Amino acid sequence: CSRDVAAVQAAMQLLLALAAASAALVPSETVPFKHGHRASPRALLVAQAPAAASAALIATPLAGYDGAVAAGVKKANMPVNKIFLLSILSGVHIAFGAFLMVSVGGACPGLAATNPGLQKMIFGAFGLPFGLMMTLVTGAELFTGNTALVTAAVLEGKASLPQLLKSWIVSFSGNFVGSLFMAAMVTAGGTLVGGGASVGIAAAKSGLSFKAALVRGILCNWLVCMAVYMASFCKDLGGKMVAIWFPISAFAALGLEHSVANMFLIPLGMMNGAAVSPATFLLKNLLPVTLGNIIGGAICVATAFSLAYGKRAE
């Protein structure tokens, strides 16, 4: 047990060091060089300080909301074939994150028995944050994020309801395809013997009541969309990583329900012997979780910030 704790502490120190290193990579403006004049190192530092201080690496709340709306408009205007391709990629990204999550945090049965809080921290910290990071940095299309961004564009009158439905339906479908592809690939690869923790996870998720799955879906996508929303404020990769890591690791550690992650986790468990039928997966988990995710993104995030910073606030 002491060795497990020491290993976790070392891993957390590494994560903090990486975050600090990312934050240190702050771009600064080039200092003009005058011919014949040799500036001292101190003079260069003094000259760079105002430029570095004035270069905003994160938007203000109002400007950030406007930027999120602009991103929603771009997504709303995207053609169907492009949304579908990018959403397949996002499904793969989230599945990679969930794959790592069950491979690391899901493979600590001894720790789960002796220190469940620490095991949940590991479960949340390693996996899904990097899946969302791949999606946001590459511009892929994630259904759960679109429930906030495209909804915000509609609320501000810059996108239509048909565009909203196009974005939601096509990104959901593409995410499902990418997730199922990854579930099949992981099963074929055999790196998770017998499906690993996915078998128990699939059974537990499919055994939730409709109400519990719905509420967990609301809470989950509230956090996911806050990660997407805050990451859109950030101008550098380090800032985006921090904005993503905390909310996403939190929802995983808290045991909340994400429809796209479940599109991978539950089929992976089913492919490896979980006693879950397709109908049970679709009706008892994916349906209520998806509805909850829509409420969390469209109402708890998009509508709330529209009332605060959008045209309704004027």
Side-chain angles (χ1 to χ4, degrees):
C1 181
S2 60
R3 284 184 297 179
D4 289 339
V5 172
V8 171
Q9 289 175 338
M12 297 306 295
Q13 288 173 353
L14 176 60
L15 283 174
L16 292 172
L18 289 173
S22 299
L25 297 176
V26 178
S28 59
E29 296 180 4
T30 303
V31 178
F33 177 77
K34 294 182 180 179
H35 182 70
H37 173 71
R38 183 175 181 179
S40 67
R42 177 179 174 81
L44 289 173
L45 287 173
V46 171
Q48 285 181 338
S54 63
L57 293 179
I58 186 167
T60 62
L62 180 57
Y65 176 74
D66 290 340
V69 170
V73 172
K74 183 177 179 181
K75 289 175 176 291
N77 290 321
M78 195 176 292
V80 168
N81 60 336
K82 188 172 183 179
I83 297 174
F84 189 65
L85 172 61
L86 290 174
S87 61
I88 291 175
L89 293 174
S90 183
V92 169
H93 297 161
I94 300 303
F96 266 121
F99 181 21
L100 178 61
M101 179 179 71
V102 296
S103 298
V104 179
C108 304
L111 188 60
T114 58
N115 196 334
L118 185 57
Q119 187 270 335
K120 289 178 181 179
M121 180 184 294
I122 299 172
F123 192 76
F126 295 95
L128 286 174
F130 105 86
L132 183 60
M133 184 177 71
M134 287 193 291
T135 282
L136 295 187
V137 171
T138 61
E141 288 288 302
L142 180 63
F143 162 73
T144 48
N146 289 349
T147 62
L149 296 182
V150 185
T151 301
V154 172
L155 292 172
E156 299 308 315
K158 297 182 179 181
S160 66
L161 183 59
Q163 287 178 312
L164 176 73
L165 294 176
K166 174 192 71 175
S167 174
W168 286 7
I169 293 169
V170 178
S171 61
F172 185 90
S173 302
N175 289 165
F176 209 166
V177 170
S179 299
L180 291 175
F181 169 76
M182 278 296 295
M185 290 291 287
V186 171
T187 300
T191 57
L192 283 174
V193 179
S198 69
V199 176
I201 290 172
K205 287 179 175 292
S206 299
L208 295 172
S209 68
F210 193 98
K211 177 183 176 181
L214 176 72
V215 173
R216 293 186 192 191
I218 294 171
L219 295 173
C220 175
N221 210 35
W222 198 335
L223 287 174
V224 171
C225 288
M226 283 305 302
V228 172
Y229 185 64
M230 293 189 298
S232 72
F233 286 31
C234 302
K235 305 297 189 289
D236 66 322
L237 181 60
K240 290 182 183 294
M241 289 171 63
V242 172
I244 291 167
W245 190 80
F246 284 99
I248 302 304
S249 62
F251 102 67
L254 292 170
L256 304 179
E257 295 289 318
H258 188 261
S259 57
V260 180
N262 288 357
M263 292 174 185
F264 167 78
L265 288 168
I266 298 179
L268 177 63
M270 293 165 62
M271 292 176 188
N272 287 275
V276 178
S277 69
T280 298
F281 162 47
L282 294 174
L283 298 177
K284 291 201 66 179
N285 183 272
L286 195 58
L287 175 60
V289 170
T290 299
L291 293 175
N293 286 171
I294 290 172
I295 294 170
I299 297 177
C300 299
V301 176
T303 302
F305 286 108
S306 176
L307 292 172
Y309 300 120
K311 63 182 182 180
R312 291 166 180 78
E314 298 174 357

